[in-house]
């Protein structure tokens, strides 16, 4: 940090600028959060939604949840899905970003536009297209596989949980790779070329240069991207929800997001749903804590 | 960046607080003058014909000068969720809603609808379809009235029947045989002698009931799921046989689009509500040439009488939070008027009043409708039944049966989940 910073801290402008935004954020995030905590300690069903006074039940909602083995199945599924997707997204994103540094400007521009389009497609619109591609009867994927002689006429992609999650992973990764590529590409252009060249002269191979020079340089960016990715992939909802309607067995494919939705909005048990949402909040904090700690440590270094 | 975040936060916050708005029951306008408002009516799906919509809007605006009526079309899919959120807020609630007859109990027991008991006599009284009124009545008060009914009957292809040398079946066993026979005759894996997509429990229900089974039975105040009883399992076995030997529809598909497979020449028979005929013969969306070969009959039961089929249909209700209670009652009475119900009848929907059934006509379609309705059944009238539908227990069950799963295991599983939801 450049010295001279103390002068800046005495200037009230930055603080003044941040305070209104911070207050609004605290209000906008704080209100729903407090409401959620309150709800999670109440018996709150449809009748309460339409005006009956709710009854306090203490920790009963939480007890019901954690004693239901189904919750743990969903949690395991959610964490697994999150890590696989975040990992794949990051690996593919890194690969494409690396490739981009080696492309001619025109090719790079074309791929950037392509990525941008994938990223900018509204989720529901994208889901309609993907659902058509994997449709059992009229799907493009089955049709192509049949053209190549595969036995895929009428093959259901969504009905088996594993194959369901493979399709979901494909879609989720497809939608999140562009962001990772753009961010990492920007970071890669900041890696000082002379250092890389020096390493090359010292006899470091491509892999060694990547691991020992490039990676440490872009580490802060990498951490942020990974953190965001984990948070996003934990709460993935729309993709799973629409695929379930298109043919997945709901109970075998619920992730925490869709489970909370089916408890609350569909099942009318808002109290239990709020407790499950608290659970998800804690899970997010636990899973992201190590990365946040690393980021803070890096900042201090 | 922070600024846009803050802006977004404010917008979100406004949304949140207005969604939790005040909860007083609005009445007519405070100054005692004639009520004027923009009435919002929710109708679901394409079931209500355009002619009826136009008539309702024009007549209402004529009779209530200064007020307007807007029809917002909702999708059936996800309706319970949308109503749960919108009906609890005075700002967002529509003034009149159409709700599926099996979904109504969830809202009537939760206090979401206004009490219509006092208006029943004016709206039709004993002439209203009794099963519908009964299902919407809680502790002597009625919160919703019937809108239309529609039981499904079987559409079949006359040309394919002739080619396969089969007759219209008169018993359940014959029906299953014909369905299997038609598929064999076609020699195609994706052809359906009887079209039954995997998630389609509503049409599958007929086979369950015909065998003497049920989804759940009342036991005093409590409900017991009964998919595991021997009768239910027998019915589910028939469903599985139809799935595996007669249907070419995907095990993971739903019944929302019968037109595509029918027009692709992939369907010999299918159970559908009467208004699907209009979709099939439509110049643009359907296939009038193929549709010329359509015949219809009521699904036959084991005893040769019509099989018990799911009585579909809708109720109308006035959300308790609507500030325009009086105008909403005007609209409801228009929707139950003979004129309006007559338009519905012409479109193949069974009118909400028994005396109007003759408006259906006397062709084979009307006869099939009346025969099917004569033995129609409703889903269990449990307060929480809509959550069973919402959490997709039955879609899961039927889809797994369609895949050839073990019926005893799957039924026991589904029973546990239904017990959990209902009690």
């Amino acid at each position: 940090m450049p010295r001279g910073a103390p002068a800046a801290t005495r200037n009230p402008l930055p603080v003044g600028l941040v305070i209104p935004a911070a207050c609004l954020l605290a209000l906008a995030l704080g209100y729903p959060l407090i409401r959620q905590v309150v709800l999670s300690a109440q018996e709150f069903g449809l009748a309460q939604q339409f005006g009956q006074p709710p009854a306090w039940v203490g920790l009963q909602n939480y007890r019901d949840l954690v004693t239901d083995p189904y919750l743990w199945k969903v949690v395991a599924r959610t964490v697994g899905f999150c890590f696989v997707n975040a990992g794949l997204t990051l690996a593919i994103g890194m690969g494409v970003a690396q490739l981009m540094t080696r492309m001619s400007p025109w090719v790079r521009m074309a791929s950037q536009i392509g990525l941008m389009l994938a990223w900018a497609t509204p989720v529901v619109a994208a889901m309609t297209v993907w659902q058509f591609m994997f449709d059992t009867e009229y799907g493009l994927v089955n049709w192509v596989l049949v053209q190549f002689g595969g036995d895929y006429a009428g093959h259901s992609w969504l009905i088996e949980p594993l194959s369901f999650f493979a399709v979901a992973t494909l879609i989720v990764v497809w939608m999140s790779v562009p962001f990772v590529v753009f961010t990492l590409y920007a970071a890669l252009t900041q890696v000082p070329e002379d250092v890389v060249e020096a390493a090359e002269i010292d006899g470091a191979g491509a892999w060694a240069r990547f691991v020992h020079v490039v990676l440490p340089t872009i580490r802060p960016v990498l951490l942020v991207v990974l953190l965001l990715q984990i948070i996003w992939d934990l709460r993935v909802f729309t993709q799973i929800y629409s695929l379930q309607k298109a043919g997945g067995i709901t109970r075998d494919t619920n992730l925490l997001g869709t489970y909370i939705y089916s408890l609350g909005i569909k099942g009318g048990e808002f109290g239990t749903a709020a407790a499950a949402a608290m659970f998800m909040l804690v899970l997010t904090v636990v899973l992201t804590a190590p990365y946040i700690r690393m980021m803070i440590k890096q900042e201090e270094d | 960046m922070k600024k846009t975040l803050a802006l977004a936060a404010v917008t979100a916050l406004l949304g949140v607080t207005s969604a939790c708005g005040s909860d007083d029951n609005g009445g007519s306008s405070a100054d005692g003058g004639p009520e004027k408002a923009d009435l919002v009516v929710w109708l679901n799906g394409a079931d209500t014909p355009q002619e009826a919509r136009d008539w309702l809007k024009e007549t209402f605006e004529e009779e209530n000068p200064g007020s307007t009526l807007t029809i917002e079309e909702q999708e059936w899919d996800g309706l319970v969720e949308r109503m749960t959120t919108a009906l609890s807020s005075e700002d967002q609630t529509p003034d009149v809603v159409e709700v599926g007859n099996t979904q109504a109990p969830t809202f009537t027991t939760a206090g979401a609808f206004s009490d219509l008991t006092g208006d029943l006599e004016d709206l039709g009284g004993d002439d209203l379809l009794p099963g519908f009124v009964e299902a919407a009545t809680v502790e002597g008060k009625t919160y919703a009235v019937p809108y239309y009914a529609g039981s499904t009957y079987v559409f079949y292809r006359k040309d394919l029947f002739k080619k396969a040398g089969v007759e219209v079946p008169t018993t359940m066993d014959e029906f299953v045989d014909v369905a299997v026979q038609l598929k064999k005759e076609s020699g195609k894996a994706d052809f359906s002698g009887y079209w039954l997509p995997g998630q389609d429990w509503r049409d599958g229900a007929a086979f369950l009931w015909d065998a003497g089974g049920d989804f759940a039975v009342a036991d005093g105040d409590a409900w017991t799921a009964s998919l595991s009883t021997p009768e239910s399992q027998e019915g589910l076995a028939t469903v599985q046989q139809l799935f595996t030997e007669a249907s070419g529809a995907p095990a993971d598909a739903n019944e929302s689009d019968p037109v595509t497979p029918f027009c692709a020449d992939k369907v010999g028979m299918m159970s559908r509500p009467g208004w699907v005929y209009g979709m099939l013969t439509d110049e643009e969306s359907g296939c009038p040439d193929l549709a010329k070969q359509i015949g219809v009959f009521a699904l036959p039961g084991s005893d040769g009488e019509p099989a018990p089929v799911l009585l579909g249909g809708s109720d109308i209700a006035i959300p308790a939070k609507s500030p325009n209670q009086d105008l909403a009652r005007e609209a409801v009475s228009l929707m139950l008027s003979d004129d309006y119900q007559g338009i519905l009848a012409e479109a193949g929907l069974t009118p909400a009043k028994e005396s109007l059934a003759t408006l259906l006509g006397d062709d084979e379609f009307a006869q099939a409708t009346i025969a099917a309705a004569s033995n129609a059944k409703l889903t269990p009238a449990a307060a929480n039944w809509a959550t069973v539908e919402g959490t997709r227990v039955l879609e899961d069950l039927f889809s797994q049966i369609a895949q050839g799963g073990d019926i005893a295991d799957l039924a026991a599983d589904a029973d546990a989940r239904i017990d959990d939801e209902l009690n």
Side-chain angles (χ1 to χ4, degrees):
Chain A
M1 187 187 279
R3 299 286 116 188
T9 51
R10 248 174 274 130
N11 183 348
L13 186 64
V15 180
L17 282 176
V18 165
I19 282 177
C23 287
L24 283 171
L25 268 180
L27 217 65
L29 291 176
Y31 175 78
L33 189 66
I34 292 168
R35 189 90 182 82
Q36 185 176 311
V37 174
V38 170
L39 261 183
S40 73
Q42 288 176 332
E43 163 98 45
F44 200 103
L46 272 177
Q48 284 72 27
Q49 168 84 348
F50 293 112
Q52 296 277 321
W56 293 95
V57 292
L59 292 176
Q60 190 56 43
N61 286 333
Y62 292 94
R63 253 195 301 272
D64 288 350
L65 264 184
V66 296
T67 50
D68 183 357
Y70 184 63
L71 173 81
W72 301 103
K73 248 192 243 172
V74 173
V75 167
R77 218 181 271 155
T78 308
V79 173
F81 185 81
C82 166
F83 280 137
V84 168
N85 276 268
L88 272 177
T89 308
L90 217 62
I92 295 173
M94 179 58 107
V96 177
Q98 282 280 352
L99 260 179
M100 250 189 290
T101 59
R102 289 171 178 72
M103 286 173 183
S104 72
W106 285 112
V107 180
R108 186 159 61 226
M109 182 62 86
S111 12
Q112 275 172 338
I113 291 173
L115 287 167
M116 205 63 188
L117 287 177
W119 198 35
T121 315
V123 187
V124 177
M127 287 312 299
T128 310
V129 176
W130 280 104
Q131 272 174 42
F132 153 67
M133 296 221 270
F134 283 98
D135 188 88
T136 309
E137 264 180 304
Y138 311 104
L140 184 72
V141 173
N142 282 350
W143 183 81
V144 169
L145 288 172
V146 167
Q147 299 307 304
F148 283 104
D151 181 21
Y152 280 90
H155 177 77
S156 283
W157 290 92
L158 301 178
I159 209 159
E160 290 291 331
L162 213 59
S163 134
F164 175 96
F165 281 116
V167 173
T169 301
L170 181 67
I171 299 172
V172 170
V173 169
W174 173 80
M175 292 198 93
S176 35
V177 154
F179 169 77
V180 176
V181 171
F182 285 122
T183 319
L184 291 186
Y185 174 69
L188 285 175
T189 57
Q190 302 303 308
V191 177
E193 262 173 55
D194 43 353
V195 182
V196 181
E197 266 167 36
E200 195 171 2
I201 292 164
D202 286 344
W207 181 246
R209 289 203 299 280
F210 178 70
V211 172
H212 297 295
V213 180
V214 176
L215 273 190
T217 324
I218 63 167
R219 208 174 105 105
V221 179
L222 216 52
L223 274 178
V224 174
V225 172
L226 187 63
L227 183 72
L228 285 176
Q229 213 54 55
I230 285 178
I231 295 175
W232 287 338
D233 288 340
L234 261 184
R235 357 164 291 187
V236 59
F237 173 81
T238 320
Q239 291 89 341
I240 303 295
Y241 183 71
S242 19
L243 286 181
Q244 282 180 341
K245 284 202 175 156
I249 303 292
T250 322
R251 194 157 167 92
D252 292 345
T253 53
N254 266 339
L255 296 185
L256 263 175
T258 51
Y259 181 50
I260 293 171
Y261 187 75
S262 82
L263 274 175
I265 304 285
K266 287 183 152 183
E269 296 170 28
F270 299 100
T272 325
M278 290 305 293
F279 200 85
M280 182 157 178
L281 186 68
V282 173
L283 188 70
T284 312
V285 171
V286 169
L287 283 183
T288 52
Y291 304 99
I292 295 179
R293 223 180 48 221
M294 267 193 265
M295 268 164 57
I296 294 173
K297 221 173 122 222
Q298 197 139 32
E299 203 89 331
E300 282 165 356
D301 293 344
Chain B
M1 182 64 193
K2 265 274 158 60
K3 211 167 197 174
T4 44
L5 259 181
L7 246 176
V10 175
T11 337
L13 183 66
L14 286 176
V16 167
T17 47
S18 66
C20 308
S22 65
D23 52 3
D24 62 323
N25 278 349
S28 49
S29 56
D31 57 1
E35 198 179 10
K36 283 193 180 103
D38 302 320
L39 212 66
V40 175
V41 177
W42 277 14
L43 294 181
N44 310 322
D47 314 356
T48 303
Q50 188 59 41
E51 197 192 338
R53 296 170 193 236
D54 294 342
W55 184 89
L56 178 63
K57 185 175 165 63
E58 279 162 26
T59 316
F60 177 84
E61 291 177 359
E62 231 167 69
E63 293 187 359
N64 298 281
S67 296
T68 59
L69 184 145
T70 312
I71 294 176
E72 290 178 358
E73 185 170 314
Q74 303 292 319
E75 278 187 53
W76 278 112
D77 201 14
L79 182 68
V80 171
E81 294 102 288
R82 233 165 303 135
M83 286 181 50
T84 304
T85 43
L87 264 52
S88 61
S89 139
E90 192 176 325
D91 300 329
Q92 294 176 19
T93 182
D95 303 294
V96 176
V97 284
E98 175 192 357
V99 56
N101 57 339
T102 62
Q103 301 167 332
T106 296
F107 295 97
T108 54
T109 50
F113 296 151
S114 299
D115 185 0
L116 293 176
T117 320
D119 306 80
L120 269 185
E121 217 39 59
D122 293 338
L123 293 173
D126 292 343
D127 200 13
L128 296 170
L129 298 173
F132 280 60
V133 176
E134 202 176 299
T137 302
V138 184
E139 291 168 5
K141 291 181 178 171
T142 306
Y143 294 92
V145 288
Y147 180 41
Y148 63 76
S151 28
T152 59
Y153 48 73
V154 182
F155 289 83
Y156 73 98
R157 284 268 301 274
K158 291 177 179 166
D159 54 335
L160 295 180
F161 267 50
K162 201 177 269 175
K163 215 173 106 198
V166 292
E167 297 286 326
V168 170
T170 54
T171 66
M172 177 59 78
D173 288 343
E174 281 178 35
F175 173 80
V176 174
D177 288 345
V178 168
V180 174
Q181 177 74 22
L182 283 174
K183 177 159 178 126
K184 266 196 202 129
E185 191 76 19
S186 81
K188 288 186 288 190
D190 59 354
F191 181 88
S192 298
Y194 176 63
W195 186 68
L196 191 60
Q199 297 184 6
D200 185 8
W201 63 270
R202 289 180 181 83
D203 285 307
F207 306 97
L208 181 76
W209 285 329
D210 179 62
D214 213 334
F215 293 111
V217 288
D219 180 11
D221 269 351
W223 287 85
T224 313
S226 56
L227 287 163
S228 300
T229 63
E231 293 85 6
S232 293
Q233 292 201 33
E234 193 196 322
L236 293 176
T238 307
V239 170
Q240 191 163 50
Q241 189 192 355
L242 287 169
F243 274 139
T244 49
E245 293 173 34
S247 178
D252 60 353
N254 63 34
E255 70 275 19
S256 63
D257 177 21
V259 178
T260 310
F262 185 89
C263 289
D265 203 9
K266 287 182 179 178
V267 175
M269 300 189 282
M270 61 184 186
S271 296
R272 290 292 79 201
W275 61 81
V276 168
Y277 183 70
M279 293 157 77
L280 293 174
T281 47
D282 188 82
E283 286 287 343
E284 274 177 36
S285 65
C287 43
D289 286 346
L290 258 189
K292 279 185 196 124
Q293 299 291 346
I294 290 180
V296 292
F297 58 88
L299 180 71
S302 298
D303 54 4
E305 295 296 305
V309 289
L310 181 65
L311 180 59
S314 288
D315 286 350
I316 5 181
I318 300 173
K321 291 278 163 70
S322 157
N324 309 309
Q325 295 288 324
D326 293 343
L327 279 176
R329 281 177 163 75
E330 298 279 319
V332 169
S333 79
L334 284 179
M335 291 166 86
L336 283 174
S337 68
D338 291 4
D339 288 342
Y340 186 88
Q341 289 288 326
I343 306 177
L344 296 187
E346 268 168 36
L349 302 158
T350 309
K353 296 180 192 171
E354 288 181 310
S355 62
L356 299 178
T358 47
L359 294 176
L360 283 167
D362 56 3
D363 57 1
E364 61 175 324
F365 294 96
Q367 280 166 12
T369 304
I370 292 163
S374 72
N375 196 12
K377 263 181 87 124
L378 284 166
T379 48
N384 287 333
W385 179 257
T387 65
V388 173
E389 293 192 15
T391 46
R392 297 169 58 84
V393 180
L394 295 170
E395 275 90 350
D396 284 6
L397 170 71
F398 275 70
S399 186
Q400 283 170 316
I401 289 176
Q403 284 179 79
D406 182 80
I407 288 174
D409 287 354
L410 291 172
D413 252 19
D415 270 354
R417 292 180 60 195
I418 293 175
D419 274 335
D420 196 37
E421 297 288 347
L422 289 188
N423 298 304

